[in-house]
């Protein structure tokens, strides 16, 4: 699109005849006519609308008979076209310098207008077309935001940890097949104590004492066939005759599936010195104990469960006259006892011993469950002070005991 610039004249309008003469002779300066200073700005031409990017300005129309010089078309650019310079007056041979194109949107500056038109009324030579305005860099699309992460899936809630299976609960009936004795898978003679650290699996062999371990009497101080370190386990063992002093535990220990065919001095003894130690006897049986089956000399707790006592003097005894005395605790659960029947437990009331009984089956019409003593540390024989449940030292109810002749 081109724009016709508005021109102003200086002085009087020259008659057409005179114009013809002047056109023939070229543009001359009339005598006495004041000449406008070259390059004085005329009225500002209307700002050219930014043309399409890069389009060259249209060449001004050729001058007609009027004294108006051809104007330079505004440079097409994104930027506003510069103000057109004032055209030279009809008396001035030199066309007014074209105004500098305002900063084209980065287009080149419009060249200086050409000289005044000749007789043919040429418009000033179109200045070099301003360089097309540089096309602005295409706006970058907004950077695609990093896709919002979905909320992090929370760690799946752990299901409750499967609890360790509890021991056979109390309150149910005791088992009646606990006194089914196993058959030995072989034999091994033991002449020196076997020390157990970690787990010792006897493979259901029968172990019998010889030499220093070759006694089955009740002499105190006999060596043990098995000495279990704190934290050790003895499993799948049958102890025959002679049995010496059976098994000694130096702290917490486990006896799993251990059977005594003929108890010597004692079947097993808990020694050690920690009040938190626990000796667990789980599954097994003991026969023929002239006196005690299990002896508790150190502190802590002895747990006996799923066990058969057959023909014994006492199933358990908290030491009544050891030189070091402690509060000791016993728990018996799912026990079968058959005659000859002595008391299941003897405890020291004066040292705050406790014995708890659940699911006890007695193969007799009656029997003693728990005796209470006043123990001592002098080595004297302790004094028996009572028998039966009292809720403090001997703890059980009638529903915990089943008699079956």
């Amino acid at each position: 699109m081109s724009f016709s610039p508005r021109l102003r004249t200086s002085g009087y309008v020259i008659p057409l005849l005179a114009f013809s003469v002047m056109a023939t002779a070229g543009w001359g300066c009339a005598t006495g006519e004041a000449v406008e200073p070259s390059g004085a700005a005329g009225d500002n031409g209307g700002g050219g609308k930014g043309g399409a990017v890069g389009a060259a300005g249209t060449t001004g129309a050729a001058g007609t008979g009027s004294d108006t010089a051809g104007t330079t078309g505004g440079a097409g650019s994104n930027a506003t076209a510069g103000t057109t310079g004032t055209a030279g007056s009809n008396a001035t041979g030199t066309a007014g310098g074209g105004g500098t194109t305002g900063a084209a949107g980065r287009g080149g500056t419009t060249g200086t207008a050409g000289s005044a038109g000749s007789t043919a009324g040429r418009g000033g030579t179109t200045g070099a077309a301003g360089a097309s305005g540089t096309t602005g860099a295409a706006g970058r699309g907004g950077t695609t935001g990093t896709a919002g992460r979905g909320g992090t899936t929370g760690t799946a809630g752990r299901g409750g940890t499967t609890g360790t299976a509890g021991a056979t609960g109390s309150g149910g009936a005791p088992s009646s097949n606990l006194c089914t004795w196993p058959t030995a898978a072989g034999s091994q003679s033991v002449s020196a104590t076997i020390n157990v650290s970690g787990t010792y699996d006897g493979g259901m062999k029968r172990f019998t004492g010889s030499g220093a371990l070759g006694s089955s009497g009740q002499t105190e101080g006999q060596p043990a066939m098995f000495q279990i370190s704190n934290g050790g386990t003895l499993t799948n063992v049958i102890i025959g005759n002679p049995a010496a002093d059976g098994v000694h535990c130096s702290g917490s220990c486990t006896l799993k599936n251990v059977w005594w065919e003929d108890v010597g001095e004692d079947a097993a003894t808990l020694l050690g010195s920690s009040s938190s130690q626990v000796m667990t006897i789980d599954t097994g049986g003991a026969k023929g104990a002239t006196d005690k089956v299990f002896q508790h000399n150190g502190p802590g707790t002895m747990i006996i469960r799923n066990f058969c006592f057959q023909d014994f003097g006492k199933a358990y005894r908290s030491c009544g006259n050891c030189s070091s005395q402690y509060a000791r605790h016993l728990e018996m659960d799912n026990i079968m006892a058959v005659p000859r029947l002595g008391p299941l437990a003897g405890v020291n009331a004066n040292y705050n011993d406790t014995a708890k009984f659940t699911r006890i089956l007695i193969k007799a019409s009656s029997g003693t469950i728990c005796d209470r003593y006043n123990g001592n540390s002098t080595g004297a024989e302790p004094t028996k002070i009572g028998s039966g449940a009292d809720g403090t030292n001997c703890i059980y109810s009638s529903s915990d005991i089943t008699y079956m002749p």
Side-chain angles (χ1 to χ4, degrees), residues 10-15 18-19 22 25-36 67 89-94:
S10 176
Y12 297 100
V13 177
I14 301 173
F19 180 82
M22 293 175 66
W27 289 96
C29 292
T31 305
E33 180 74 14
V35 179
E36 287 187 19
D67 61 346
S89 68
N90 56 356
T92 303
T94 305

Side-chain angles (χ1 to χ4, degrees), residues 252-304:
S252 292
C253 69
T254 299
L255 278 62
K256 178 74 173 178
N257 199 30
V258 178
W259 301 80
W260 290 262
E261 293 180 327
D262 192 344
V263 175
E265 181 187 353
D266 298 314
T269 303
L270 176 56
L271 302 171
S273 58
S274 172
S275 61
S276 63
Q277 66 188 11
V278 178
M279 179 179 186
T280 302
I281 300 129
D282 187 354
T283 307
K287 294 180 183 179
T290 302
D291 187 9
K292 305 174 296 295
V293 177
F294 296 114
Q295 178 74 27
H296 195 162
N297 289 353
T301 301
M302 186 179 293
I303 298 171
I304 307 169

Side-chain angles (χ1 to χ4, degrees), residues 43-338:
D43 291 339
N44 291 340
K49 290 173 63 177
V53 176
T58 306
T59 304
T64 61
S66 70
D67 61 346
T68 304
T71 61
T72 304
S77 70
N78 288 338
T80 305
T83 306
T84 305
T86 305
S89 68
N90 56 356
T92 303
T94 305
T100 303
T101 302
R106 299 180 67 178
T109 304
T110 304
T112 305
S115 59
S118 61
T119 305
R122 280 178 61 199
T125 304
T126 303
S132 298
T134 303
T135 303
R140 290 175 56 196
T143 305
T144 304
T146 305
R149 290 176 54 198
T152 305
T153 304
T155 305
R158 289 177 54 197
T161 304
T162 304
T164 303
T168 306
S170 59
S175 299
S176 59
N177 61 350
L178 293 173
C179 293
T180 301
W181 289 78
T183 300
S187 297
Q188 181 173 332
S189 178
V190 180
S191 60
T193 300
I194 298 174
N195 293 303
V196 176
S197 178
T199 297
Y200 183 95
D201 189 333
M204 294 310 293
K205 289 187 296 185
R206 178 182 291 111
F207 294 80
T208 57
S210 63
L213 301 177
S215 172
S216 331
Q218 296 300 303
T219 304
E220 295 289 338
Q222 294 182 62
M225 294 183 67
F226 293 93
Q227 178 73 51
I228 306 177
S229 299
N230 183 42
T233 297
L234 179 68
T235 185
N236 300 325
V237 167
I238 299 172
I239 298 178
N241 182 26
D245 201 27
V247 178
H248 289 179
C249 282
S250 300
S252 292
C253 69
T254 299
L255 278 62
K256 178 74 173 178
N257 199 30
V258 178
W259 301 80
W260 290 262
E261 293 180 327
D262 192 344
V263 175
E265 181 187 353
D266 298 314
T269 303
L270 176 56
L271 302 171
S273 58
S274 172
S275 61
S276 63
Q277 66 188 11
V278 178
M279 179 179 186
T280 302
I281 300 129
D282 187 354
T283 307
K287 294 180 183 179
T290 302
D291 187 9
K292 305 174 296 295
V293 177
F294 296 114
Q295 178 74 27
H296 195 162
N297 289 353
T301 301
M302 186 179 293
I303 298 171
I304 307 169
R305 59 186 178 224
N306 310 317
F307 200 86
C308 170
F309 293 100
Q310 191 169 341
D311 298 329
F312 57 94
K314 292 182 182 68
Y316 166 92
R317 182 65 171 102
S318 172
C319 185
N321 56 9
C322 286
S323 59
S324 295
Q325 293 287 31
Y326 314 93
R328 304 180 181 99
H329 307 285
L330 166 69
E331 296 177 16
M332 280 194 184
D333 177 61
N334 198 29
I335 302 299
M336 184 174 181
V338 297

Side-chain angles (χ1 to χ4, degrees), residues 310-399:
Q310 191 169 341
D311 298 329
F312 57 94
K314 292 182 182 68
Y316 166 92
R317 182 65 171 102
S318 172
C319 185
N321 56 9
C322 286
S323 59
S324 295
Q325 293 287 31
Y326 314 93
R328 304 180 181 99
H329 307 285
L330 166 69
E331 296 177 16
M332 280 194 184
D333 177 61
N334 198 29
I335 302 299
M336 184 174 181
V338 297
R340 172 181 60 90
L341 177 65
L344 287 182
V347 296
N348 301 314
N350 60 321
Y351 294 129
N352 300 313
D353 289 353
T354 61
K356 298 179 181 179
F357 304 87
T358 53
R359 297 194 300 163
I360 307 299
L361 175 62
I362 306 297
K363 290 286 290 181
S365 56
S366 63
T368 302
I369 303 301
C370 184
D371 289 338
R372 296 185 299 279
Y373 294 84
N374 276 336
N376 63 77
S377 58
T378 64
E381 190 65 24
T383 304
K384 182 177 177 179
I385 61 172
S387 185
D390 67 350
T392 300
N393 304 112
C394 297
I395 304 168
Y396 60 95
S397 64
S398 58
S399 63

